[in-house]
């Protein structure tokens, strides 16, 4: 399988290497030429433009986008719909809003182009090895025909799922991120209570303990351990907890559906609060976000 990958940032570059490790050929394009050069250094075929990328792909063409949600993704999809042929594929692997993906699918499918929205989890390390993918799109038949073998290679065992109609992949990823907000907030609050207690806990040792046999063991706890190993009390970073928007989307959808999600709702409110006043909870969550996604942290 030869895949055109558009967007070679933190996630895209790792995904390109993952694909190539599992038998796919990758043609890479990014507006940042340095990123294209990095991909070429790993064995990808470099493209100088979107048109150049398309010229290097066999039919049916598979164009996979790893771009920021919003204008960059939508402009690229609009361009692709005009130039791709019937039977070609667009895969949006970014964090697009699910309703936008539904609309994008209608535009593509009106031209006979297969469209798939792919929620990608696991952070940079997941993009590089054994990722987790939630995929909605045109049809199960179209998915099986071209994309299933790719996901079987790049995903962890049982780590991908065709979820049905277009939009369902990004919807599932949205809810996944809402759950993630609540989990990280609870972990951060727990360490905040420990930090205010009369006892002198070793945060790294606690995280290691909790991640070996306890009910709360998780990758997030592992990320805490790694963060505390570098900075025992996270003194070097601020507790500002940035958000990408998917927690807000999850809460808005829950309100529309009249589903009670108090934990997700309050975790989102705490993200907003952290932008005003520093908290130890915020430091822990910020450290975890940096650990799995390479998200920016604010230095103290």
């Amino acid at each position: 399988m030869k895949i055109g990958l558009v967007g070679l940032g933190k996630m895209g570059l790792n995904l390109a290497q993952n694909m190539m490790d599992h038998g796919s050929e990758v043609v890479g394009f990014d507006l940042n030429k340095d990123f294209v050069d990095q991909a070429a250094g790993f064995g990808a075929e470099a493209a100088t433009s979107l048109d150049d990328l398309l010229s290097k792909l066999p039919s049916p063409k598979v164009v996979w986008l790893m771009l920021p949600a919003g204008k960059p993704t939508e402009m690229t999809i609009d361009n692709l719909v005009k130039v791709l042929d019937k039977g070609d594929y667009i895969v949006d692997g970014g964090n697009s809003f699910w309703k936008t993906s539904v609309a994008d699918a209608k535009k593509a499918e009106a031209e006979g182009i297969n469209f798939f929205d792919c929620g990608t989890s696991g952070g940079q390390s997941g993009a590089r090895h054994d990722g987790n993918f939630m995929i909605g799109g045109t049809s199960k038949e179209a998915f099986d025909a071209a994309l299933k073998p790719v996901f079987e290679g790049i995903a962890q065992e049982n780590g991908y799922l065709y979820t049905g109609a277009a939009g369902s992949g990004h919807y599932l990823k949205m809810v996944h991120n809402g759950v993630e907000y609540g989990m990280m907030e609870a972990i951060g609050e727990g360490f905040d209570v420990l930090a205010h207690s009369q006892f002198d806990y070793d945060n790294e040792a606690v995280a290691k303990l909790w991640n070996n046999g306890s009910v709360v063991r998780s990758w997030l706890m592992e990320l805490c351990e790694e963060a505390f190993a570098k900075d025992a009390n996270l003194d070097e970073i601020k507790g500002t907890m940035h958000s990408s928007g998917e927690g807000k989307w999850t809460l808005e959808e829950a309100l529309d559906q009249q589903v009670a999600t108090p934990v997700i709702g309050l975790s989102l409110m705490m993200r907003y609060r952290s932008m005003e006043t520093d908290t130890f909870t915020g430091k822990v969550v910020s450290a975890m976000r940096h650990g799995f996604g390479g998200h920016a942290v604010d230095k103290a």
Side-chain angles (χ1 to χ4, degrees):
M1 170 68 70
K2 194 170 189 178
I3 297 168
L5 187 59
V6 181
L8 299 170
K10 292 181 295 187
M11 294 292 287
L13 189 60
N14 281 294
L15 187 62
Q17 294 175 79
N18 193 355
M19 289 175 173
M20 289 186 288
D21 284 348
H22 293 91
S24 293
E25 297 177 66
V26 173
V27 182
F29 171 66
D30 195 288
L31 292 176
N32 188 323
K33 187 178 182 300
D34 289 341
F35 293 168
V36 178
D37 291 342
Q38 287 183 57
F42 290 121
E45 186 176 354
T48 57
S49 66
L50 188 60
D51 287 341
D52 184 40
L53 178 141
L54 295 176
S55 72
K56 299 177 185 296
L57 296 177
S59 295
K61 295 179 174 64
V62 176
V63 183
W64 196 306
L65 310 182
M66 294 301 291
L67 296 168
K71 196 171 281 187
T73 296
E74 296 314 302
M75 289 178 62
T76 305
I77 290 173
D78 287 344
N79 287 335
L80 288 171
V81 167
K82 296 174 185 175
V83 296
L84 288 177
D85 297 323
K86 288 184 178 180
D88 288 344
Y89 286 74
I90 299 172
V91 180
D92 178 7
N95 281 330
S96 296
F97 184 44
W98 68 274
K99 288 184 179 179
T100 304
S101 296
V102 171
D104 288 339
K106 289 180 179 178
K107 289 186 290 188
E109 290 167 3
E111 302 298 326
I113 300 164
N114 298 297
F115 180 89
F116 290 86
D117 53 292
C118 174
T120 306
S121 185
Q124 295 178 75
S125 63
R128 182 64 186 90
H129 299 287
D130 296 332
N132 184 279
F133 304 93
M134 306 155 230
I135 314 113
T138 299
S139 69
K140 182 67 161 56
E141 292 73 22
F143 173 78
D144 288 345
L147 301 181
K148 184 177 179 179
V150 180
F151 284 106
E152 286 182 340
I154 64 177
Q156 188 175 75
E157 186 177 1
N158 300 317
Y160 75 90
L161 179 67
Y162 173 74
T163 54
S168 64
H170 280 152
Y171 189 100
L172 186 59
K173 178 58 163 51
M174 173 188 73
V175 175
H176 163 283
N177 281 24
V179 173
E180 177 188 294
Y181 273 50
M183 291 173 68
M184 290 198 292
E185 177 66 22
I187 292 170
E189 289 177 8
F191 279 103
D192 207 346
V193 173
L194 295 181
H196 283 83
S197 76
Q198 62 184 323
F199 304 107
D200 184 20
Y201 288 104
D202 179 332
N203 291 320
E204 180 189 354
V206 170
K208 183 175 183 178
L209 169 70
W210 282 354
N211 206 38
N212 284 275
S214 88
V215 172
V216 297
R217 61 188 183 272
S218 64
W219 184 40
L220 294 176
M221 196 62 68
E222 181 182 332
L223 295 173
C224 286
E225 181 185 345
E226 292 173 359
F228 288 132
K230 298 173 184 175
D231 183 2
N233 295 303
L234 305 183
D235 293 323
E236 296 180 4
I237 64 174
K238 290 183 178 180
T240 45
M241 301 180 286
H242 301 285
S243 55
S244 59
E246 295 206 54
K248 180 174 180 285
W249 294 344
T250 305
L251 182 58
E252 289 172 343
E253 179 66 12
L255 292 170
D256 287 345
Q257 301 296 339
Q258 298 184 10
V259 176
T261 55
V263 172
I264 294 173
L266 287 173
S267 68
L268 178 63
M269 297 304 105
M270 289 301 292
R271 294 261 179 127
Y272 295 157
R273 179 192 181 283
S274 78
M275 305 304 291
E276 301 174 5
T277 306
D278 214 8
T279 65
F280 196 71
T281 300
K283 289 174 180 282
V284 176
V285 173
S286 183
M288 285 187 282
R289 293 184 78 246
H290 180 70
F292 69 71
H295 301 292
V297 297
D298 295 335
K299 296 295 182 180

